[in-house]
Amino acid sequence: MNSLAQHLSQSKSSIVCSHIVITGFVQGVGFRPFVFRLANELAVRGYVCNNSGQVTVIAEADSQTLDTFCQRLITNAPANAKPIVHLVSTTMLGETRTDYYEDFSIRPSNDPGGCDIHILPDLSTCDQCLEELFDKNNRRYLYPFINCTQCGPRQSIIKSLPYDRNNTSMQSFKLCRDCAREYRTPTDRRFHAEPIACEACGPVLNFVDNRHDITNNKLALEACISALKRGRIISTKGISGYHLMFASTSVDAIELYRNRKQRPDKPCAILMDQAWLDNYVDASEQELVLLQQSSRPIVLIKCKPSSKLPAKLAPGLNHLGVMLPAHPLQHLLCHYFHKPLVATSANISGEPIITSNSDATKRLRKLCDAFLHNNR
């Protein structure tokens, strides 16, 4: 018996159709793929689609199944989602209806306007993507823009809602065959992951200094690491803007930065791998929890006297502003540099965030020795 036949083998009078609207943080967290999988697990028919800032579900099943479906929309939601489920209406279908849904599908988004919009912030690299990033057998090995439905850029790439690839800065990157297959496969972790990309079809790093102009992920990263090891200050484009980065252990680099930025005393924020924390700071349990939040905040932590970090990082203070890597490029920089890096905002005080390569080159060239751009 096929799925539709099973669906209709129940007494037709017991089948109901519910119109469900889900608000909250449901854009950019893999919520539609989650609804799709849940509906198929429970033999619910209908469809799910994005509206501006919300998710609409038309669900058809018996009332008990729909009760379970609505409850699990909240209890089983993706980790980064914060759904609020509104049951707008439920209609008894009865014996006379002939146009039952044959399956459950993800429909194209629509934009009715006037909705309650919650834009999700950029999400730090999830554990699964991080494992793939350093897996030599994975096709995204060392790819600086790896992501899935549970991590990666969100707010910083959105041009308009609903949150679909063609409404983001990923629109110009045409999916390769492998990425397209993952994007369309319901059981894949990257099913409808809008920033999905790989080495074959996604963004590329570009390292530029007075001698080089390298557009290649591996070679650009190598050139950047080499410059950092020589005490250079690099302006790196991350997910949402530029950082000035340099070796936290180099007194010369710190003094050069303070000179150029005209910040004689302001403490510097430090980027370090989680595995290094014990070598440099005394972090409490609460501070460790804060550091690992998806927003990757800068947390003030007491510095260990044995760390031997230059006092010029935070003159007159015994605490450091510490953050963990927030995106794949930062993980790669820590991995290859092997020591904590100063990662401070490159933005000019009182001015908008610099996001384009050309603006950065023009406005930040007096502050740094080189740039690590990308074309996203």
Side-chain angles (χ1 to χ4, degrees):
M1 187 181 291
N2 64 34
S3 57
L4 180 59
Q6 288 177 327
H7 182 50
L8 298 178
S9 66
Q10 313 167 66
S11 169
K12 288 184 179 179
S13 61
S14 71
I15 298 176
V16 297
C17 183
S18 290
H19 177 194
I20 304 163
V21 173
I22 306 158
T23 59
F25 288 100
V26 290
Q27 300 279 313
V29 291
F31 203 84
R32 285 174 301 164
F34 155 68
V35 174
F36 177 89
R37 288 188 287 266
L38 179 62
N40 279 280
E41 178 187 337
L42 298 175
V44 172
R45 306 292 179 252
Y47 67 86
V48 60
C49 70
N50 268 344
N51 290 325
S52 285
Q54 63 184 24
V55 170
T56 294
V57 181
I58 300 298
E60 195 176 272
D62 63 87
S63 58
Q64 184 176 354
T65 299
L66 287 181
D67 285 345
T68 301
F69 179 69
C70 287
Q71 182 180 10
R72 288 178 63 182
L73 286 174
I74 297 175
T75 58
N76 291 20
N80 293 304
K82 296 179 182 177
I84 303 168
V85 176
H86 307 274
L87 187 59
V88 176
S89 63
T90 298
T91 305
M92 299 292 294
L93 298 184
E95 298 285 345
T96 58
R97 176 161 173 175
T98 58
D99 58 340
Y100 292 95
Y101 291 102
E102 294 187 6
D103 56 17
F104 195 91
S105 63
I106 296 178
R107 289 194 175 181
S109 303
N110 58 72
D111 185 7
C115 296
D116 183 19
I117 297 173
H118 295 78
I119 301 175
L120 201 73
D122 301 323
L123 301 172
S124 59
T125 311
C126 71
D127 290 342
Q128 287 175 290
C129 281
L130 194 57
E131 185 177 341
E132 291 175 350
L133 181 65
F134 294 109
D135 178 0
K136 292 181 180 179
N137 297 315
N138 191 279
R139 71 185 191 88
R140 291 187 175 88
Y141 175 58
L142 303 182
Y143 183 58
F145 306 95
I146 189 171
N147 65 78
C148 69
T149 55
Q150 296 308 300
C151 68
R154 297 295 187 271
Q155 187 178 47
S156 62
I157 62 169
I158 290 174
K159 294 183 177 180
S160 63
L161 286 169
Y163 177 67
D164 290 326
R165 189 178 180 92
N166 62 354
N167 289 330
T168 74
S169 58
M170 292 300 295
Q171 181 183 19
S172 59
F173 297 95
K174 184 179 178 181
L175 294 175
C176 68
R177 184 178 61 181
D178 289 333
C179 284
R181 184 184 65 250
E182 292 170 334
Y183 185 84
R184 295 175 186 139
T185 303
T187 54
D188 196 281
R189 194 172 92 253
R190 293 184 172 90
F191 181 48
H192 278 267
E194 307 306 344
I196 186 174
C198 73
E199 193 82 42
C201 65
V204 184
L205 296 175
N206 170 225
F207 179 83
V208 180
D209 64 8
N210 57 5
R211 293 185 302 157
H212 304 94
D213 189 340
I214 304 168
T215 302
N216 175 284
N217 288 320
K218 181 176 182 293
L219 297 179
L221 183 62
E222 287 176 354
C224 179
I225 295 297
S226 175
L228 287 168
K229 288 181 177 179
R230 297 196 309 273
R232 302 293 189 262
I233 297 174
I234 315 297
S235 187
T236 64
K237 183 179 180 181
I239 287 185
S240 51
Y242 280 81
H243 275 112
L244 294 177
M245 302 186 77
F246 53 91
S248 65
T249 53
S250 171
V251 174
D252 289 343
I254 297 169
E255 288 181 346
L256 188 61
Y257 157 75
R258 293 198 176 284
N259 241 351
R260 291 177 179 177
K261 194 81 170 173
Q262 296 183 359
R263 287 183 174 172
D265 302 308
K266 189 172 183 177
C268 297
I270 308 300
L271 173 72
M272 67 172 72
D273 189 275
Q274 187 169 340
W276 308 341
L277 289 172
D278 281 347
N279 296 331
Y280 297 99
V281 293
D282 280 318
S284 67
E285 268 187 47
Q286 184 181 12
E287 288 164 345
L288 288 173
V289 170
L290 287 171
L291 281 169
Q292 294 174 74
Q293 288 181 351
S294 187
S295 58
R296 289 297 190 260
I298 298 171
V299 181
L300 284 175
I301 307 178
K302 189 173 182 180
C303 184
K304 283 186 173 179
S306 59
S307 69
K308 297 182 180 178
L309 288 172
K312 288 179 180 286
L313 285 171
L317 301 176
N318 62 356
H319 282 63
L320 285 174
V322 177
M323 58 182 161
L324 300 181
H327 52 79
L329 178 59
Q330 288 185 346
H331 280 285
L332 290 170
L333 289 170
C334 286
H335 177 75
Y336 284 108
F337 192 68
H338 304 301
K339 293 179 182 179
L341 287 159
V342 169
T344 186
S345 169
N347 294 311
I348 298 168
S349 181
E351 295 190 19
I353 291 174
I354 297 170
T355 58
S356 76
N357 297 356
S358 57
D359 277 356
T361 301
K362 182 169 63 178
R363 297 167 65 194
L364 301 178
R365 59 188 175 186
K366 292 182 180 179
L367 300 179
C368 63
D369 303 299
F371 293 89
L372 187 61
H373 299 300
N374 67 68
N375 61 340
R376 181 167 62 193

